[in-house]
Amino acid sequence: MDTNPSQLIQTVLLCGLALGVAFGALAQATRFCTMGAIADVVNFGDATRLRTWVWAALVALVGTQALIGLGGVDLSASIYTGRRLSWLAQGLGGLAFGFGMVLASGCASRALVRAGGGSLKALVVLLVVGFAAQMTLRGAFALPRVEWLDPVGPLLAGPQDLPSWLSRHVGLPLPWLRAALCLLLAVPLLLWLRRSRDFLQPGPLLGGLAIGALIVTAWFVTGSLGHLGEHPETLEPAWLATNSRRPEALSFVAPTAYTLDLLTLWSDRGTVLSFGITTVLGTLLGAAASALLRREFRWEGFRDVRDTAQHLVGAVLMGAGGVTALGCSIGQGLSGLSLLSAGSFIAVAGIVAGAVAALRYQAWVIDRDG
């Protein structure tokens, strides 16, 4: 295998772009949306899109655990499996993100897809998400996050993913526990999925399967193709072309901030393309291509001042919440859960709770104004 770092970086970046294009096209064509899935259940009692989301998460989970178990990649260095279980940061960050994505008409990935389809208000949401994420990564919001929220939680003896945690406490082999947990989760979920005829159609089935497979592929690209056991310059392990300098899969809040960094600091040699940035750009391109091919490209703007204000507040909550929770509805919801990270379960619970609360709030406002 070629171990030339510069060539490996190009490979990782091109793969990120390709994965982003595929995700954007799939999400646009299948209406894959976390907020929409929750809203359909809360407002209409329709769980079809939720089943598609769960199916994608299950495919990502089983595929990623198989990839790890078969020795294809070591993902123990991921940000989702760190020793510190920051339950307060991930829970509150998830709540903020979930509430914000409802106000902003979709999560960060959905805003990218909608912007690719001609939505100017989704483009404004993206810019504000990126700005709020920058402030939370290393700006005005960073200090309270780092000093007050991140330290709250136990420091574990090892990685926080459930197979590793159980292995340390019950003493069973790690591969057995990975297989057992996958089986325990997959069987009841598959039984629930097959109860819906609307879900058992080519669109939801193949769409969820493909999106789940993209998560697995992303882990392989950054965790294996872009991994050097010993970098020729530092003589230390390195994961190339990732902002975290660790293996990464798909996520869209922090990478949106890094994309703004690149665009505004283009001449700064310390600001370079990364896997996350190319997936963001690829998602935008893939969604635009799909919208144009399907003749669904439509220009869209804000309805009025109230609509503008609601989307701006939602974008700020998503940017700050996504960074605080260590990921968005895709980053924690699909990528993090695929590693069976304990923190990801907390963050996703917060996202769902925040989204439901925001949907109830919107219903109350409609009743009050009606």
Side-chain angles (χ1 to χ4, degrees):
M1 178 179 175
D2 188 1
T3 56
N4 184 307
S6 62
Q7 293 184 6
L8 289 178
I9 287 173
Q10 291 181 10
T11 299
V12 171
L13 294 178
L14 288 174
C15 287
L17 182 66
L19 289 169
V21 169
F23 179 86
L26 284 166
Q28 195 282 329
T30 63
R31 296 173 58 243
F32 187 87
C33 174
T34 307
M35 189 279 289
I38 297 171
D40 286 352
V41 174
V42 173
N43 294 333
F44 311 112
D46 182 1
T48 302
R49 278 205 285 180
L50 180 61
R51 280 182 162 88
T52 303
W53 193 95
V54 170
W55 171 231
L58 183 58
V59 170
L61 165 65
V62 174
T64 300
Q65 293 301 313
L67 188 65
I68 297 170
L70 295 173
V73 61
D74 179 8
L75 302 178
S76 60
S78 164
I79 63 170
Y80 304 116
T81 55
R83 292 176 58 197
R84 175 74 69 182
L85 180 57
S86 301
W87 61 268
L88 183 61
Q90 291 176 317
L92 289 180
L95 277 170
F97 183 91
F99 202 97
M101 76 176 181
V102 172
L103 296 183
S105 302
C107 65
S109 65
R110 189 60 187 170
L112 275 169
V113 172
R114 292 175 60 236
S119 175
L120 297 178
K121 66 179 182 180
L123 180 59
V124 172
V125 165
L126 279 173
L127 293 174
V128 178
V129 165
F131 180 64
Q134 287 175 324
M135 293 177 66
T136 312
L137 283 166
R138 53 187 178 273
F141 298 160
L143 186 62
R145 174 182 65 84
V146 172
E147 293 194 357
W148 302 342
L149 298 178
D150 287 353
V152 178
L155 184 63
L156 305 178
Q160 65 176 267
D161 61 288
L162 297 183
S164 297
W165 185 86
L166 285 172
S167 180
R168 291 194 302 271
H169 286 80
V170 302
L172 293 177
L174 195 54
W176 292 10
L177 289 170
R178 291 191 189 282
L181 286 171
C182 285
L183 192 62
L184 286 173
L185 289 170
V187 170
L189 288 176
L190 288 173
L191 291 174
W192 176 68
L193 292 173
R194 67 186 297 272
R195 290 172 57 188
S196 171
R197 290 185 178 180
D198 291 333
F199 168 73
L200 296 175
Q201 302 297 320
L205 273 175
L206 296 179
L209 176 66
I211 288 174
L214 291 180
I215 302 297
V216 181
T217 306
W219 283 128
F220 178 76
V221 168
T222 63
S224 181
L225 290 182
H227 178 245
L228 289 178
E230 184 178 283
H231 195 285
E233 295 179 2
T234 64
L235 303 182
E236 295 180 351
W239 290 269
L240 304 175
T242 62
N243 289 107
S244 66
R245 294 180 174 83
R246 302 179 182 193
E248 296 177 357
L250 299 185
S251 192
F252 291 96
V253 171
T256 299
Y258 298 135
T259 302
L260 290 185
D261 283 343
L262 181 67
L263 295 176
T264 55
L265 302 172
W266 187 268
S267 60
D268 186 343
R269 292 186 178 182
T271 307
V272 296
L273 274 173
S274 66
F275 176 82
I277 293 174
T278 58
T279 57
V280 165
L281 298 176
T283 298
L284 190 65
L285 292 173
S290 176
L292 290 169
L293 288 173
R294 293 165 57 84
R295 298 183 179 180
E296 294 177 355
F297 187 94
R298 300 288 186 276
W299 294 114
E300 178 191 23
F302 293 105
R303 293 191 308 272
D304 50 34
V305 173
R306 182 174 179 175
D307 186 42
T308 304
Q310 178 176 290
H311 279 77
L312 293 180
V313 171
V316 171
L317 289 173
M318 277 202 293
V323 170
T324 303
L326 290 183
C328 58
S329 55
I330 301 298
Q332 285 283 25
L334 296 184
S335 300
L337 287 184
S338 73
L339 297 179
L340 289 172
S341 164
S344 296
F345 283 98
I346 295 171
V348 171
I351 291 171
V352 173
V356 172
L359 290 166
R360 298 301 188 196
Y361 166 74
Q362 287 186 332
W364 174 80
V365 170
I366 292 172
D367 289 342
R368 183 198 63 183
D369 295 344

